[in-house]
Amino acid sequence: MLFVADSAKARLQSIRSAKGLTEDYFLRATITSGGCSGLSYKLDFDNEIKERDQVFEDNGETVVCDLKSFLYLHNSTLEFSGGLNGSGFTFNNPNASRECGCGESFAV
């Protein structure tokens, strides 16, 4: 399961509205190689489900990821912070053994 915090839900709705995306667009979360800790998060809006995609609905939002990414994201919560220490989406990921200082990459 993937979870969506209230802060992330509000920001996703704001972005979707600003870009003129219809409700059939969902958030696609992908894990890629890279970053200072080895693995990086990538978020995009998409409206096409692919074979073997994992689909989750939480807090009124749909989050989709491929099977490989799901292995790294299982039980993670997507959050959004707009604070002075930097703004952006972050994952509270219980599978990460360490994260880089900027929070954009992790290792397991």
Side-chain angles (χ1 to χ4, degrees), residues 10-81:
R11 184 63 179 146
L12 289 171
Q13 290 173 338
S14 173
I15 293 170
R16 193 180 285 115
S17 176
K19 291 187 173 206
L21 300 176
T22 57
E23 290 300 318
D24 62 327
Y25 278 83
F26 52 82
L27 184 70
R28 179 173 293 280
T30 308
I31 301 300
T32 60
S33 296
C36 40
S37 291
L39 298 168
S40 296
Y41 301 105
K42 180 180 177 191
L43 298 173
D44 289 304
F45 283 104
D46 195 354
N47 65 349
E48 292 184 33
I49 302 289
K50 299 175 182 145
E51 187 177 340
R52 299 185 60 154
D53 272 347
Q54 307 299 299
V55 180
F56 303 95
E57 295 203 19
D58 183 55
N59 202 6
E61 289 290 333
T62 301
V63 181
V64 174
C65 65
D66 61 79
L67 189 57
K68 178 184 168 196
S69 297
F70 176 66
L71 297 174
Y72 296 110
L73 289 171
H74 179 67
N75 285 330
S76 295
T77 301
L78 179 65
E79 299 173 350
F80 180 80
S81 172

